[in-house]
Every structure is written in structure tokens, then in C-alpha cells.
Amino acid sequence: MSVPMLEIRGLRAEIDGKEILKGVDLVIPTGEVHAIMGPNGSGKSTLSYVLTGRDGYEVTGGEAYYKGKDLLAMSIEERACEGVFLAFQYPVEIPGVTGVNFLKTAVNAVRRHHGRPELDAMQFMKLARTKAKELGVPEDMLKRAVNTGFSGGEKKRYDALQAALLDPSLMILDETDSGLDVDALRIVAEGVDRMRGPERSMLVITHYQRILDYIVPDRVHVLVGGRIVESGDQTLARELEKTGYAQFQGKAA
Amino acid sequence: MTDISEFRKLGRDQFEKAGLPSRKLEDWHYTDLSQSGLTQLPLAEEMRGAAQAGVIHLVNGFLQGQPELPAGVVLEGLEAAAGRMGTLLSGADRAVTALNAGLFNDALVLRVSAKVEKPVEILSETRGDVQFHGRLLIVVEAGASLTLSEIHRGSGSALANWVAEIFVAEGGELHHVKLQDEALETTHIAALGLELGKGAKYKGALLHLGSKLARQEVYALMAGEGADFSLDGGTLAVGTQHIDNTTRVIHRAPGCPSHQLFKTVLDEQAHGVFQGTLFVERPGQKTAAYQMSRALMLSDRAAMDNKPELEIYADDVKCGHGATIGDIDETALFYLKSRGIDDSTARRLLIEAFLGEVAATVENQALREGLEERLYDKLGALFGRKAA
């Protein structure tokens, strides 16, 4: 069997001394889309931040391997350069940094990491325009300051544009449906779904089932109390929509 | 003031009595010059050279050649300024201004009588271990407008002591960009006095990159109804640089908006100071005044002193002020790094953005880009040094 895209074993993590993840086990094979569903406070966002290396989240036990490499030993930017991408629940506004400057710096950092030549301003703009057009991102968003004054839908599309430019192998979507109305959700989710491919895996973290109508997962896991308490196929997501998470609360104890 | 020699003598007498300011003076609490020995430096000797194309070139305050000026701007003699000089910035309560009055060489006196498109650019060069006292007086006549750029740079353990008085008459406009880019041995002390007539407008951008010690005082008098004052200041200080911005905006007339935003980035053992007073006199009804100082600390050995003050004697005004001191936003830093950007580059981008907003207020494209370029150069040098 080939090396999975992501393999997590017994992962434990805490914030400010409070244990949030209490032994997470999860394997995502290459090319598959897995969903993690769970109630508020179950550790969903913590899992996404631990996998991407955010400061303040302390790993106290367990392991995580990305393409067979020790993910937890890498810096934030190394993980990104290696192909791990986090789509933020709330993308960050950065006044004063233009999109072009930010995106070009990021694209070239990843290219440099892989020993590929950097793009000059012209080459970058050509690439950015092409990708922006594919995703329906207006070109003027490239010139504006990063996420500044963008609507919820614009921010998520802008994150999707970043993914398209950085071409990651593992995409982690942290409650991408937050702050989106039904139409915006459909546009963003369809954009993400088009990025599915045999060489790319996705981890879709969500509270609600609706985003999974557009990004239909291969596997669904239920995270409650910092542990995965149930796994199944996409029918599990529909079931959860009807029954809620209460039935699992007992299992987490 | 009618006689220039009397004006100089008064200045010398005033300074002799007061001496260089020490922290005992409330206004100078964070910047002490009393032990600096700056007045022991030899006075700069007269230096004359050819004019440089496109700029008003000053060396140690001495004008070089006859500069070319756009139509609508004339260079006047000292006599023409006699009635106004010292009226906005008096040596009576400002020792350093008195010292300047006593010892200034040339005074650059400009009169603007039309809407002038082309910017007037002053390049002031500091040379040698000397003291010099430069003087600027500008009159923007009613309905006229000017874009003025000042760049201060050079070399030497010098004292560059500038006094600028600017009068903008009814409906006039001044766009002002000042880049303080002196050598790291130089002490730069500057006072800007500003009088705005009815409906007059001043829009300034001030960037401090250089100097061992720099202090910029701004005294803005809103003298006519509806006058509009706006100043954005930026400071990037490293090593043991000490940069002080002290402002006093006086709302004497009704219905005047004023805006001040000062941004300071301090690394290593640099020291920043912002003292700002908003003073609304009794007739200053419907004043809308805003003042903010924001500092970003990159090192725990750096220090920032913020002293915002409000003094209000009118009862129908809107005044807002505040001061913040903080670290780089961790969330923004994580966002950038999560896209593959290394820590040092991510920090640099965020600092560029923080101070770049000051440059972004400059409407003239060439001046704006010039300011950005110097800012990015200095940041590049700082981060290059850190990486080494």
C-alpha cells in the first residue's frame, strides 16, 4: 500500500494547559476527500491549527505524517511549501499589503522551496489573471489590500485563488461555510470541488452538512470531545443532520 | 519685527537666557538636549555652489545657485518676509527656535500666487561636524496651491536646526511631504509653524528614517473657518535612534477638521516619542479633531512614550484621540506564513504595510514612490542585517 497523504496517530494537543485533542487517529489516502464533523468546541479548529503549526497550540502526544514526513517537526512555512494549505474559517484582513505583493511573494517562496525559478512580475500577473478568471475573482481584488473590506464570499474566493496559485497536495478547509449565504457557499464549494484530483487530498472541517452537498466526501468522521468517535461514508453526514451530535456525547467521555 | 539685526539679537538674548532645553521643561520631558553639547559645534561656514536641476539645493542651510521655479512661485528676499518671520514660531518660549533666529544663514522665502502643479522640491544637505540653522518661510496666497517636498540628508555629527513658517491664505492649499533621512550621527531639530486661513487646506506626510536624534515640532493654527489640517507621520527607528514628534493643533476658528495619525516602528534600543495636544479655543465650535499614535515594538529593549492631550474650551466639538503600543499582529503573521512566506519576510511585509500607509497618503505619484522606495530600502537593510 502506498504512503497516505496524511496519517495522524494518537494526536493530543492543548491550549493554555487545557487539553483539546485527546488522541485523534485519522488516515487520509492520496486523492481522497474526508470530512470531519463535530459540534462547537469539539476540537475541529484546533486540529486544523495543529496540522498547520500555529503558535499557541502545544502538541503533547502522538504523531502526524504528511506524505510520510514528520509534519509536526516542520515550521509553518515549510508545511505550506511542502503542499499543506489551510483555507481559513475567517481569512485575515491585512491593510496595506496588496494582493499582488502577497501572492507573488507566496508563489515564489513555494517555487524556491522546490528549486524552481521565481516568476517575475509579468509572468506572475499572467498566472494570477488566468487563475482569477477561472475562479470568478475580479481582477481588481488582486490590487486591493489583502482581504481588506472584502465580503465573506470574496474572502473565501480569495482563499480559493491562493490555493489555485500554490497548488497544494493537502487542503484543509476550516468551516469554509462560515459567513457565507447559500449562493456564496455554492460558488466557493464548487470552486473547491473542481480542485479534486487523484494527487490531491482534502480535509473538510464543518459543523453543518450543507457544504458536503457540493464537495461529496469519500469518508466522514465525527469529532466529539477531542476524539474521532465514529467514521462512515457520506450517508453519515446526512444522518447527523437529522439526529445531531447528542448521540455521540456519551461516547466521548 | 522690522529689523533683521534686531531679530537676530533678540534670538541670541532669548537663547542665552534659556539654554538648551532639558527634561525639566514639560515639553521636553522625553528629549533632553541640555547635555548634548550641540551648541559647542562650530557654526557651518558659507558654502556656495551651482544650482542642481529640478530642486532647491541647500547645503548646511546655504542656497546653492539660483534655482529654477515653476510659474506662480517666486523666491523672495529676507526683507519681504520681515513682517511675518517669527510670528508663528517665537523664540520667547522656544529656546531652539530662538537659537535659530540668532544664528540662521539664508532664509528661503517663497511666495505662491497660483495653482502650481509641479512640485517644488527642497533638498537639504547636512555636511560635516557643524551646527547650522536653516529657515523657511512660505506664503501661499488666497486660492493658490503648492506641493512641497523636503528631503533632509547628508553626513556628519551635526546639528541641523530648522524653523519653517508657512501661511496658507483663504482657500489656499499646501501638500507637504517631508523625508527626514539624515545620517545616523546627525541631530535634526525642526519646528513647523502653520497658519491656515478660511477654507485653507494643509495635507502633510512626514517620514523619519534617519538621525541619531530627531525632533519635529508641528504647531498648526486653524485661524479661519473651515480650515482643514491633515498630517500623517511615520517613524522607523533602529539602533539607539531617538525620534520625537511633538504637535500642537490649535482650533481657533469654527468648523475646522483636523487629522493626525502617527505610526512608529521601533527596533533594537530605539526610542520613540509622540506628544500631541489638541487645543480647542472657545470660538472653535463644530471642530472635528482626530489624533492617533500607533507604535509597533519589534524589540523589548525599545521604548515608546505617548502623551496625547486634549484641551477644549468650546462646547460643541467632536474630538477623538488615542494611543496604542503593540507587537506585530500574530494572526496576520500566521496567515502569511501559512502561505509559505518565511517569518522574516512576513514580518517585513507587515511593517512595510504599517508604514506604507503613511506614504500612501501622498497624492503626487513620483513623490509617493520616492518615499516608498526609501522606506523599503531602509527596511531591507534592517532585515538584511538581522538575517546576517
Side-chain angles (χ1 to χ4, degrees), chain A residues 49 52-55 76-77 80-81 84-88 91-92 94-97 101-102 105-106 109-110 112 146-147 158-159 162 166, chain B residues 263 294 329-357 360 376:
Chain A
Y49 289 143
T52 47
R54 185 165 190 169
D55 288 343
I76 302 167
E77 58 268 34
C81 287
V84 179
F85 183 93
L86 173 64
F88 281 62
V92 185
I94 310 181
V97 177
N101 191 9
F102 161 57
T105 307
V110 173
R112 215 164 38 237
V146 175
N147 287 320
Y158 197 64
D159 250 23
Q162 292 165 39
L166 298 176
Chain B
K263 293 182 150 188
R294 292 175 60 200
D329 178 6
E330 189 273 332
T331 311
L333 195 59
F334 174 62
Y335 191 72
L336 295 176
K337 286 159 77 173
S338 78
R339 300 306 184 237
I341 300 173
D342 66 85
D343 186 74
S344 168
T345 305
R347 285 174 192 276
R348 186 177 152 181
L349 274 174
L350 292 173
I351 297 165
E352 262 180 27
F354 183 73
L355 289 175
E357 284 192 312
Y376 297 166

Side-chain angles (χ1 to χ4, degrees), chain B residues 37-278:
Chain B
L38 288 166
T39 47
Q40 307 300 313
L41 289 166
L43 267 179
E45 285 174 25
E46 184 163 356
M47 287 189 183
R48 299 291 177 189
Q52 260 189 43
V55 298
I56 300 177
H57 187 203
L58 301 162
V59 177
N60 291 345
F62 292 102
L63 181 63
Q64 307 297 298
Q66 246 344 87
E68 274 176 51
L69 293 168
V73 183
V74 288
L75 188 63
E76 296 190 321
L78 207 46
E79 314 74 46
R84 294 188 187 256
M85 197 173 278
T87 59
L88 284 180
L89 297 171
S90 147
D93 49 358
R94 298 163 178 269
V96 187
T97 300
L99 181 67
N100 178 292
L103 299 174
F104 75 93
N105 341 302
D106 292 1
L108 188 70
V109 181
L110 297 172
R111 178 172 291 275
V112 185
S113 58
K115 290 197 191 312
V116 180
E117 279 290 313
K118 192 178 181 312
V120 166
E121 301 183 41
I122 296 173
L123 172 62
S124 165
E125 218 182 300
T126 303
R127 267 193 213 162
D129 303 340
V130 296
Q131 58 171 310
F132 77 88
H133 304 270
R135 197 136 188 140
L136 202 64
L137 194 144
I138 299 175
V139 177
V140 179
E141 292 183 348
S145 67
L146 180 72
T147 298
L148 174 73
S149 149
E150 285 180 64
I151 296 177
H152 297 260
R153 64 182 189 214
S155 60
S157 302
L159 165 65
N161 178 22
W162 282 95
V163 172
E165 291 171 292
I166 299 178
F167 301 81
V168 186
E170 183 172 343
E173 246 181 65
L174 182 73
H175 293 249
H176 187 193
V177 181
K178 176 173 172 178
L179 171 61
Q180 186 278 101
D181 198 14
E182 304 267 20
L184 290 175
E185 300 79 44
T186 300
T187 298
H188 179 98
I189 308 285
L192 167 65
L194 197 63
E195 184 187 281
L196 300 181
K198 189 177 171 187
K201 184 176 166 183
Y202 171 90
K203 190 162 191 275
L206 165 68
L207 184 62
H208 289 283
L209 298 180
S211 288
K212 174 171 88 177
L213 182 153
R215 166 149 160 143
Q216 174 74 57
E217 288 184 32
V218 177
Y219 165 94
L221 177 63
M222 318 295 276
E225 188 170 353
D228 181 348
F229 171 82
S230 162
L231 176 61
D232 285 86
T235 296
L236 173 61
V238 303
T240 56
Q241 279 184 282
H242 176 108
I243 312 287
D244 175 335
N245 286 298
T246 295
T247 70
R248 186 173 179 86
V249 176
I250 297 164
H251 285 263
R252 180 163 294 167
C256 298
S258 75
H259 160 97
Q260 297 174 73
L261 174 59
F262 279 81
K263 293 182 150 188
T264 305
V265 175
L266 301 172
D267 200 358
E268 295 162 340
Q269 298 167 70
H271 186 186
V273 178
F274 174 74
Q275 306 185 96
T277 306
L278 278 175

